[in-house]
């Protein structure tokens, strides 16, 4: 019989446990303690996390504001909040902190900006701004951008920050083996760090590093977080890097409980700093950790799971051996397509897609997954020839388009006049006949007076009114004053206009609307959905939606009970020291700019932002497919030099091969009903015909079933000797 509450109704906590399997129930209803939940692919980890949070609130009576839930994407955080709201109600859900690592750190830095060495109106640099800034630095340092790409320098800076290294730390560490650009990087990183400090800006990696430094150095702020967060839950823990793990340890107090959920078998981001051994460290660094294994798969047929289990069993560095068991039946055999060449492979895959569609299957339920982007071309061409619609994940994102970046640069200047990176982007966009010399002279004044470009114009304005003023400087002011006055007009508009009206005003007053309309007309894109002008309109609509959401949030927060909660927090720490503020007190433009930077940066590999609701075949790298699932999956290019990559083979370490094997495992476990694995004996690569053959991973799987009758194997091998299938 169900447990009853004092009114004789089935208890809420008991209802939370309904429809959970035994392992899931164990994780959700466990006593308050540190927990490591090893959740295999498709085992319902998100459901477990959401149910655990609801159970903490309803059964253990933990205040939602005392719970911190950390995810890796804004999309995942939003879904988590929505699902929790179904259990506990919208009011309680709103008090919960459920965000990405970077969003949480941004929130803390806004609250404690002064203590962190920032002004509260600091701006967050997107990837494009980082690259632009780095190009500028390299030009000034006379570093050849052809010899050392700015994007590589940006990646290096981000990696150093994720390792907790400032420029001085990096210089002191010295050159490591194989680091050919060490001297240049020292110069670039030092200059980069200084400019960011001068411009009151932070990049994505800086959010975490600066927050960690703040928590390490300020005992009072750290203690406040310990009192605030009693329960901390982390999703996709295998993807955390060293600085994220350090942040977690700093946020967890002696009386806190931490629950981490992850799967070391799905750790595929080692190349960007993710360290699955954090799961091992967690067992050592936290007391009395309760370990729970989730191995019942709700996604894939058993034959697909058998392939995955056989593959991953070869990895010797697994935290816990697990064998995924399915609950949807054996399913059809996995089809292994042995193709004579890559043209045969593309033709065979597309023919199968066409047959599935003719049988009533939707294109959007199908996915072509590949190790590297260059592999997509042949499939794109074959799909186009068959008039089969497809969408490629990882294309240019909305907030990476030039017209959008130009608009955002204007908006950033309205928040932070120290942002020279933004000023340099749009001081002559649209053209104001301000050549390189004008800009260089203006920047020279800024460097001489230790101020930004906008501040330098303000100094020129005052100077030009003096008798006997230098004619060259007066002339310089006349040239740049229209731009300066434009920014002032926009700032004035910002004070009394709704956010979406401000953005619309900026687009038109700046001349961007007219400039991009002319470009659209020249390219014959006038009126098209993807035209530049259309994108500017979409931006205004996006701002309007954000504005509505923010206004709704402000209205919800304006309750006596929540005000009481805020006051309670303030009693533990001084508001003047940077206490967390409510939405109502935040600058809408500043909040919007921060939010879109968080969305458009860092989630580039796993968020599938190019997805569409139209009926089209999905094409993406295996890395991009993480967290997704499809009814029919075509895992292509499963061959030597590709999966595993040639680089990992050349390195030859168990570590590098193990991650490649995990990548293959992730690809296999995206499939629900049908899995097709294809490889080419010969492949045209970069103008050369290369003999490749089946991946060592595929050969390993086949060998493991050599003693089993063909009819009992979970796969069938189909030879394809011509382009036609």
């Amino acid at each position: 019989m169900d447990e009853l509450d004092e009114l004789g109704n089935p208890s809420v906590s008991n209802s939370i446990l309904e429809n959970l399997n035994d392992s899931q129930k164990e994780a959700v209803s466990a006593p308050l303690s540190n927990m490591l939940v090893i959740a295999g692919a498709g085992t319902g980890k998100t459901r477990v996390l959401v149910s655990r949070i609801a159970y903490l609130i309803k059964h253990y009576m933990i205040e939602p504001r005392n719970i911190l839930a950390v995810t890796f994407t804004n999309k995942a955080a939003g879904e988590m909040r929505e699902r929790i709201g179904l259990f506990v109600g919208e009011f309680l859900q709103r008090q919960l902190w459920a965000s990405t690592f970077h969003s949480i750190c941004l929130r803390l830095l806004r609250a404690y900006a002064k203590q962190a060495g920032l002004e509260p109106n600091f701006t967050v640099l997107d990837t494009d701004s980082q690259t632009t800034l780095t190009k500028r630095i390299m030009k000034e340092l006379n570093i050849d951008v052809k010899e050392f790409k700015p994007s590589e320098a940006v990646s290096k800076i981000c990696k150093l920050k994720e390792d907790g290294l400032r420029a001085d730390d990096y210089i002191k560490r010295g050159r490591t083996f194989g680091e050919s650009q060490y001297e240049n990087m020292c110069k670039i990183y030092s200059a980069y760090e200084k400019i960011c400090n001068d411009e009151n800006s932070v990049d994505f990696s800086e959010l975490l590093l600066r927050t960690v430094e703040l928590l390490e150095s300020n005992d009072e702020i750290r203690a406040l977080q310990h009192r605030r967060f009693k329960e901390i839950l982390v999703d996709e823990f295998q993807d955390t890097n060293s600085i994220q793990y350090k942040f977690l340890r700093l946020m967890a107090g002696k009386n806190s409980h931490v629950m981490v959920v992850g799967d070391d078998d799905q750790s595929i981001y080692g190349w960007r700093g993710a360290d699955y051994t954090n799961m091992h460290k967690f067992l050592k660094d936290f007391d009395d950790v309760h370990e729970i294994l989730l191995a019942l798969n709700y996604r894939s047929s058993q034959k697909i799971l058998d392939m995955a289990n056989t593959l991953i069993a070869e990895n010797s560095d697994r935290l816990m051996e697990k064998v995924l068991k399915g609950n949807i039946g054996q399913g059809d055999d996995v089809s292994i397509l042995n193709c004579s060449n890559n043209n045969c492979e593309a033709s065979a895959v597309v023919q199968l897609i066409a047959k599935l569609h003719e049988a009533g299957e939707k294109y959007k339920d199908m996915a072509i997954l590949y190790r590297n982007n260059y592999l997509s071309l042949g499939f794109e061409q074959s799909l186009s020839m068959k008039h089969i619609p497809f969408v490629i994940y990882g294309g240019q994102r909305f907030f990476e388009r030039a017209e959008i970046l130009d608009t955002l640069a204007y908006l950033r200047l309205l928040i932070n006049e120290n942002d020279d990176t933004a000023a340099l982007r749009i001081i002559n966009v649209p053209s104001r006949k301000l050549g390189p010399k004008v800009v260089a002279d203006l920047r020279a004044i800024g460097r001489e007076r230790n101020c930004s470009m906008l501040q330098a114009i303000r100094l020129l304005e005052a100077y030009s009114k003096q008798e006997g003023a230098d004619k060259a400087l007066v002339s310089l002011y006349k040239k740049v004053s229209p731009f300066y006055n434009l920014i002032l007009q926009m700032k004035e508009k910002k004070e009394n206009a709704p956010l979406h009206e401000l953005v619309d005003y900026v687009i038109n007053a700046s001349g961007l609307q007219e400039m991009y309309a002319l470009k659209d007309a020249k390219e014959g894109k006038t009126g098209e959905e993807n035209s530049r002008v259309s994108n500017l309109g979409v931006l205004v609509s996006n701002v309007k939606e954000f504005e509505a959401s923010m206004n709704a949030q402000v209205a919800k927060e304006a309750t006596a009970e929540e005000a009481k909660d805020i006051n309670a927090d303030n009693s533990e720490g001084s508001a003047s020291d940077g206490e967390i503020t409510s939405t109502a007190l935040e600058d809408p433009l500043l909040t919007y700019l921060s939010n879109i930077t968080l969305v458009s940066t860092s989630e580039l590999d796993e968020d599938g932002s190019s997805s569409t609701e139209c009926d089209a075949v999905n094409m993406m790298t295996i890395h991009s497919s993480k967290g997704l699932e499809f009814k029919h999956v075509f895992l292509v290019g499963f061959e030597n030099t590709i999966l595993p990559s040639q680089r990992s083979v050349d390195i030859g370490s168990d570590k590098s091969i193990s991650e490649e094997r995990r990548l293959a495992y992730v690809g296999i476990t995206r499939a629900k009903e049908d899995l097709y694995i294809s490889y080419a004996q010969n492949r045209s690569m970069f103008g050369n015909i290369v003999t490749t053959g089946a991946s060592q991973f595929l050969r390993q799987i086949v060998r493991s079933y050599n003693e089993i009758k063909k009819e009992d194997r979970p796969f069938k091998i189909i030879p394809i000797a011509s382009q036609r299938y």
Side-chain angles (χ1 to χ4, degrees), residues 228-245:
R228 175 184 286 123
F229 297 119
K230 305 300 183 185
E231 301 292 325
I232 301 174
L233 304 94
V234 185
D235 193 12
E236 302 287 4
F237 189 64
Q238 77 282 345
D239 292 333
T240 54
N241 57 31
S242 58
I243 198 76
Q244 288 165 339
Y245 184 69

Side-chain angles (χ1 to χ4, degrees), residues 675-714:
L675 174 63
Y676 304 85
I677 298 175
S678 64
Y679 66 93
Q681 296 290 350
N682 299 282
R683 182 174 295 277
S684 177
M685 299 176 67
F686 312 112
N688 298 310
I689 303 296
V690 179
T691 300
T692 51
S695 164
Q696 66 184 64
F697 299 153
L698 192 55
R699 295 199 303 271
Q700 166 220 319
I701 294 172
V702 174
R703 279 199 307 270
S704 69
Y705 288 99
N706 277 346
E707 304 301 320
I708 300 176
K709 295 179 180 178
K710 282 188 177 181
E711 56 267 24
D712 295 329
R713 297 175 182 176

Side-chain angles (χ1 to χ4, degrees), residues 218-235:
N218 195 306
D219 295 342
E220 184 179 352
I221 293 175
R222 187 173 66 255
L224 178 58
Q225 309 317 309
H226 292 173
R227 292 194 295 272
R228 175 184 286 123
F229 297 119
K230 305 300 183 185
E231 301 292 325
I232 301 174
L233 304 94
V234 185
D235 193 12

Side-chain angles (χ1 to χ4, degrees), residues 27 96 105 175 252 254 339 413 510 652 666:
L96 176 75
C105 289
R175 187 193 300 268
K254 291 181 180 179
C339 307
L413 277 182
S510 63
V666 166

Side-chain angles (χ1 to χ4, degrees), residues 501-653:
E501 288 185 12
L502 169 66
V503 175
D504 188 61
Y505 176 81
V506 167
I507 290 170
N508 285 280
S510 63
L512 291 176
Q513 177 84 13
E514 182 180 358
M515 181 184 80
Y516 282 115
L518 289 171
K519 287 189 177 184
D520 282 345
K522 189 176 181 180
E523 297 176 11
K525 290 186 175 181
T526 303
E528 292 186 9
E529 288 187 6
N530 64 344
S531 69
R532 297 177 177 93
V533 170
S534 174
N535 289 334
L536 292 172
V538 171
L539 178 63
V540 175
S541 298
N542 179 263
V543 172
K544 191 177 289 187
E545 290 174 5
F546 167 81
E547 200 171 20
S549 174
M550 190 173 179
N551 290 338
Q553 183 68 16
V554 169
K556 291 172 181 177
E557 289 180 353
T559 66
E561 185 170 348
E562 291 190 27
K564 188 177 179 180
D565 285 340
I566 292 172
N567 291 332
D569 277 347
N570 285 343
S571 68
E572 297 173 343
S574 169
S576 63
D577 288 339
E579 185 52 66
I580 309 295
T581 59
S582 70
T583 304
L585 301 178
E586 296 175 0
D587 184 313
L589 178 57
L590 181 61
T591 305
Y592 178 74
L593 291 173
S594 298
N595 285 356
I596 62 172
T597 303
L598 291 174
V599 170
S600 63
T601 309
S602 183
E603 297 184 8
L604 301 184
D605 297 299
E606 66 255 37
D607 199 27
S609 66
S610 298
S611 69
T612 176
E613 292 300 316
C614 69
D615 191 24
V617 176
N618 301 275
M619 298 182 63
M620 69 194 76
T621 64
I622 304 173
H623 284 100
S624 297
S625 74
K626 177 80 182 301
L628 303 175
E629 58 185 41
F630 302 93
K631 194 173 179 181
H632 315 281
V633 168
F634 297 84
L635 186 55
V636 303
F638 208 111
E639 57 208 53
N640 285 327
T641 73
I642 296 177
L643 189 63
S645 68
Q646 185 63 56
R647 182 176 181 275
S648 66
V649 173
D650 292 341
I651 293 173
S653 68

